[in-house]
Amino acid sequence: MKKRQLFRTVLSFVMVLAINAGIILSYAPVSASNRMTEEEIKNEIDRIEQENADRKEEIDRIEGEIDKQQEEADKIALMLGEQKNEVDYYNNLVFYKNEDIAEKQAEIDKLTANVERLEDQLKKTEQKISDAEAENAENLEKFAQIIRTMYTSGNSDMFGVLSGATDFYQLMVSSEIVGNITEKNYEFMTQLKADIKQLEADKNTYETDKKTLEDERTVLEGEKKVLEDEKTELIALQDTAQSKADEYQTDYNKYQGILNELQYEQDNLQYLVTVGEAEIEAFEEQLKELIIQNTQQGTTLQEGDWIWPVPGYGYISCYFGWDYDFWRMHKGIDVGDWGIWGSNIYATKGGTVIIAEDWYIPGYSYGKYVTVDHGGGYTSTYAHMDTVNVYVGQVVEKGDVLGTVGNTGFSTGPHLHFEIRIDGEPVDPFNYVEIYR
């Protein structure tokens, strides 16, 4: 949008330069051999006005097409916005799903660490049991040596004790042989037995805890797998939504391209219309000069003061001089009071009607207008009239009704455009007339 505004600003600047250049060239002196006739000038004005009318019709058509294309672009923009929201929605879901997966993985990692810790404890416990059993085997070997010694010494109670004992420790406790073993060794053997049992119990506990943790880890890994599957589905939906958003973006860009082309075409036509209006104004200037040259020459200006052309109305909407609203030289004054439409327009001085134009194309130039030659090189012009009540060649007196105020031609509202010229050169009317309300 900013690019389009910049383009139109630059184009307007170029148009102003071209229009001013066109007007200056049109006002350049023309040699007698190349001077156009009055009929040729009128035909040229008619031709340009028709071309401008066709251009304006095309501008209106393009404006309708712009509205249509803009409506479609707005619809696409709305869908694009909704689709982008859907993409953002899935982006958020994927983001939070990743967080859930990361949280689940942290739990799994914690359980894995605990399992590894228990495995390490199991290895250490198994090693302790192995060491204790080795020590026990060593003690059994030592005890066997004692038994052999007792046997060789002829102790008759040995075989009875052996035959009734179910294991080494029972044998130690119940047999009289115990008495032959030092008390210190007995206590050691008893403690060793208790340690082995405790280690076996610890080992069972570790294995049970490890199994529990491994089962919990299996459950968590299953939950993580479910989350990852859900994430995969979300990514697929996300990709689908993004693909659709990309399609909408492509369509939107296409419509914007069409709008830019239409706007360029419309601006170009408007440029040609403005240039055409400048050309019409230049030709009308030539026509006025030609008509003045063809009217009575050497007549003296009628005596007496000039009068105000629309008594009762005195609001000036645009003064003589440079018009900043339209960037052009305003060659007269515009009287535009409320209710002025249809009011009588009076000849400001006596003279001969040299222009009485009652045909025009809406939106162009002076519309219906009258020019009166007052002699002495003085003329007055009354433009944008609603009705023209005089004819070319008619002699009018000061105060005669020339027609009524209207809104014809290039006019922004009901008003009278009033000019006074000397030898075809516009001068400020307030040098000759005063407002009369």
Side-chain angles (χ1 to χ4, degrees):
M1 186 63 69
K2 291 182 178 179
K3 290 183 178 178
R4 186 187 304 174
Q5 292 175 345
L6 177 61
F7 168 78
R8 299 188 73 171
T9 301
V10 173
L11 181 59
S12 298
F13 178 73
V14 173
M15 286 168 60
V16 170
L17 293 179
I19 292 167
N20 285 318
I23 293 174
I24 293 171
L25 291 175
S26 298
Y27 286 162
V30 181
S31 65
S33 60
N34 295 328
R35 189 180 299 276
M36 298 174 67
T37 66
E38 180 179 333
E39 187 64 27
E40 287 173 338
I41 292 175
K42 287 183 177 181
N43 289 339
E44 191 64 17
I45 290 174
D46 291 343
R47 181 189 66 79
I48 297 173
E49 287 179 338
Q50 187 58 55
E51 286 180 352
N52 271 1
D54 294 340
R55 288 166 183 154
K56 283 194 171 183
E57 184 177 345
E58 181 64 11
I59 287 173
D60 292 340
R61 185 197 68 77
I62 292 175
E63 186 65 35
E65 186 65 21
I66 287 175
D67 291 341
K68 177 182 176 182
Q69 295 294 333
Q70 187 64 59
E71 183 178 353
E72 292 299 318
D74 291 343
K75 290 179 181 178
I76 295 295
L78 180 62
M79 290 187 289
L80 176 59
E82 293 175 351
Q83 199 62 37
K84 286 183 176 179
N85 290 337
E86 185 175 346
V87 171
D88 291 340
Y89 169 73
Y90 285 121
N91 285 341
N92 289 333
L93 289 182
V94 171
F95 173 80
Y96 289 118
K97 192 63 67 177
N98 281 330
E99 286 194 338
D100 292 342
I101 291 172
E103 183 179 345
K104 196 67 66 177
Q105 185 61 53
E107 294 180 28
I108 292 173
D109 293 342
K110 184 177 180 180
L111 286 176
T112 299
N114 288 334
V115 169
E116 291 175 351
R117 178 179 56 79
L118 287 174
E119 287 177 344
D120 183 62
Q121 290 177 337
L122 277 171
K123 289 179 181 179
K124 291 179 179 179
T125 301
E126 288 172 349
Q127 184 62 46
K128 289 180 180 180
I129 292 173
S130 176
D131 293 344
E133 288 177 344
E135 187 175 358
N136 186 36
E138 184 180 351
N139 287 332
L140 284 174
E141 180 61 29
K142 292 179 179 179
F143 183 72
Q145 292 293 336
I146 296 172
I147 296 299
R148 284 194 291 271
T149 302
M150 294 178 67
Y151 173 74
T152 57
S153 64
N155 192 330
S156 59
D157 292 333
M158 173 61 65
F159 298 103
V161 174
L162 290 174
S163 62
T166 58
D167 57 34
F168 166 73
Y169 298 102
Q170 183 180 0
L171 180 63
M172 289 179 63
V173 174
S174 60
S175 174
E176 293 180 1
I177 301 174
V178 173
N180 297 322
I181 304 174
T182 64
E183 184 178 351
K184 182 178 180 180
N185 286 337
Y186 174 74
E187 291 177 356
F188 175 78
M189 296 294 288
T190 301
Q191 184 61 48
L192 184 60
K193 178 182 178 182
D195 290 344
I196 290 175
K197 286 185 177 181
Q198 184 59 51
L199 289 170
E200 291 287 353
D202 291 344
K203 177 182 176 182
N204 291 335
T205 299
Y206 293 152
E207 288 177 342
T208 301
D209 291 346
K210 176 185 175 184
K211 178 66 168 57
T212 300
L213 292 176
E214 287 176 338
D215 290 344
E216 291 179 7
R217 183 172 65 180
T218 300
V219 172
L220 288 176
E221 287 175 344
E223 292 175 353
K224 178 186 174 185
K225 178 64 168 57
V226 171
L227 290 174
E228 288 175 339
D229 291 343
E230 291 175 351
K231 175 185 173 182
T232 300
E233 293 177 0
L234 286 174
I235 290 176
L237 293 172
Q238 181 188 39
D239 291 342
T240 300
Q242 185 62 56
S243 177
K244 188 176 294 185
D246 292 341
E247 291 178 6
Y248 286 143
Q249 186 66 59
T250 299
D251 290 343
Y252 180 76
N253 292 341
K254 181 186 70 174
Y255 278 109
Q256 286 300 312
I258 293 174
L259 284 169
N260 289 337
E261 291 176 0
L262 289 171
Q263 190 64 60
Y264 176 82
E265 184 178 356
Q266 186 184 50
D267 290 340
N268 187 55
L269 284 171
Q270 185 59 56
Y271 164 77
L272 294 176
V273 167
T274 308
V275 171
E277 289 173 348
E279 291 178 339
I280 290 173
E281 187 172 352
F283 277 121
E284 286 189 338
E285 291 292 329
Q286 293 183 27
L287 182 61
K288 288 178 186 178
E289 293 175 3
L290 187 60
I291 292 174
I292 291 173
Q293 291 173 5
N294 292 335
T295 56
Q296 298 175 354
Q297 299 294 320
T299 58
T300 59
L301 177 65
Q302 290 193 9
E303 296 181 356
D305 296 333
W306 301 70
I307 66 170
W308 186 243
V310 277
Y313 299 96
Y315 173 73
I316 307 302
S317 58
C318 188
Y319 286 86
F320 176 84
W322 184 256
D323 182 0
Y324 287 96
D325 289 333
F326 294 96
W327 274 68
R328 64 179 180 179
M329 182 68 181
H330 193 235
K331 302 177 181 65
I333 57 174
D334 289 343
V335 187
D337 277 296
W338 176 261
I340 196 173
W341 189 328
S343 299
N344 286 336
I345 300 172
Y346 299 94
T348 58
K349 211 174 197 23
T352 303
V353 176
I354 57 175
I355 298 176
E357 186 63 70
D358 61 358
W359 182 90
Y360 73 101
I361 294 179
Y364 295 98
S365 193
Y366 286 175
K368 296 180 180 182
Y369 72 102
V370 169
T371 298
V372 177
D373 177 15
H374 304 290
Y378 286 82
T379 61
S380 60
T381 297
Y382 314 80
H384 309 304
M385 300 170 70
D386 184 50
T387 60
V388 174
N389 297 346
V390 293
Y391 56 88
V392 175
Q394 180 178 346
V395 176
V396 294
E397 299 294 332
K398 177 169 60 178
D400 285 351
V401 176
L402 304 176
T404 57
V405 176
N407 188 34
T408 57
F410 182 64
S411 174
T412 56
H415 72 284
L416 170 66
H417 174 80
F418 175 60
E419 294 181 7
I420 293 178
R421 299 191 179 217
I422 302 177
D423 295 328
E425 189 67 28
V427 295
D428 188 349
F430 280 120
N431 292 336
Y432 302 91
V433 297
E434 292 182 357
I435 297 175
Y436 175 76
R437 294 184 181 277

